[in-house]
Amino acid sequence: AYRNVPYFSELTKFRKPAINQERPGRTLLFSSALTRRKGADIVAQAFAAVAANRPDLQLIIMGEGPLQVAMRTILAPVAAQVTWAGFRDWNELPGFFHQSDILLAPSRHDAWCLAVVEGLAAGLPVVSTNRTGAALDFIQNGKNGWICPANNIDAVVRAIQAVADLTSGQLESMSAAASASVANHTLEHGAALFHEAALEALRTWKKPRPR
């Protein structure tokens, strides 16, 4: 028997605060290592392409990695719209999620990507890819985020443009759908799934025949 038991983590701190003041424009967040696998270069290129004509867009980049210098070069024309937050401890992450409206997670390949789940828990619609496990499990295209083909900058550009054009009501609806989509993704639920899978393995296990 095969059972898929994904990563679970403590999402309580990421839950959207009860009071969420309206902010001007849209703030996008990238929370990951600045690597090619995580699509950091795609984030830089796609944001630069859209933000050049949308001064109301802001980007927070939280993380470090080998692509940081290249990303700074790509983002130089819109540098005033970019905040470099650097590496942050896990306890600091929720504060940055709560400052944002959308999470960018365009990994070229990612077995899970915990940031996707954290973003959804924080009420952030997520832009991710069809080669990201958490996105495939939780994102419904156009409802609580966007699933783009992996390694496709044009698709991420279109998703960011869609983000920029969201009305406040549309963003609020997507935010509520994002939070609801991972409402049951708790540590307790994960432990129960693992326990159930272990019991099933024991029930179906056959002792090897003696030689």
Side-chain angles (χ1 to χ4, degrees):
Y2 175 83
R3 295 292 296 273
N4 177 28
V5 182
Y7 288 112
F8 285 82
S9 70
E10 177 54 64
L11 297 177
T12 304
K13 291 184 177 181
F14 288 89
R15 301 295 180 192
K16 189 176 181 180
I19 299 176
N20 186 28
Q21 296 180 345
E22 179 70 19
R23 294 183 295 271
R26 296 283 177 262
T27 299
L28 286 69
L29 173 67
F30 179 67
S31 174
S32 189
L34 308 186
T35 64
R36 188 176 186 278
R37 182 175 72 83
K38 290 290 189 177
D41 55 320
I42 293 176
V43 167
Q45 293 178 60
F47 183 81
V50 179
N53 299 311
R54 295 298 300 254
D56 56 325
L57 289 181
Q58 298 289 323
L59 173 64
I60 298 174
I61 298 174
M62 185 164 50
E64 296 176 346
L67 293 187
Q68 182 168 339
V69 173
M71 290 175 70
R72 284 186 180 274
T73 300
I74 294 168
L75 291 166
V78 292
Q81 294 166 248
V82 180
T83 299
W84 296 85
F87 175 81
R88 299 285 175 158
D89 289 332
W90 187 81
N91 286 334
E92 298 179 87
L93 302 188
F96 287 91
F97 280 73
H98 296 158
Q99 294 174 36
S100 307
D101 301 297
I102 303 289
L103 178 72
L104 300 177
S107 296
R108 286 180 168 87
H109 57 91
D110 210 322
W112 183 242
C113 191
L114 187 56
V116 168
V117 183
E118 293 169 342
L120 292 171
L124 306 184
V126 177
V127 177
S128 193
T129 71
N130 60 354
R131 291 192 177 179
T132 300
L136 294 175
D137 275 8
F138 290 111
I139 295 178
Q140 295 182 352
N141 213 32
K143 183 177 180 180
N144 63 345
W146 296 263
I147 295 182
C148 304
N151 198 33
N152 190 318
I153 294 175
D154 290 340
V156 178
V157 166
R158 290 192 294 271
I160 294 176
Q161 288 171 335
V163 167
D165 292 335
L166 288 175
T167 66
S168 295
Q170 289 171 328
L171 179 59
E172 185 176 349
S173 177
M174 293 191 77
S175 176
S179 297
S181 66
V182 293
N184 295 324
H185 196 73
T186 63
L187 290 175
E188 292 78 10
H189 182 54
L193 280 180
F194 183 85
H195 182 239
E196 181 182 339
L199 290 179
E200 183 179 10
L202 289 172
R203 284 193 300 267
T204 58
W205 179 64
K206 295 181 179 179
K207 293 183 179 180
R209 294 180 179 178
R211 293 183 179 181

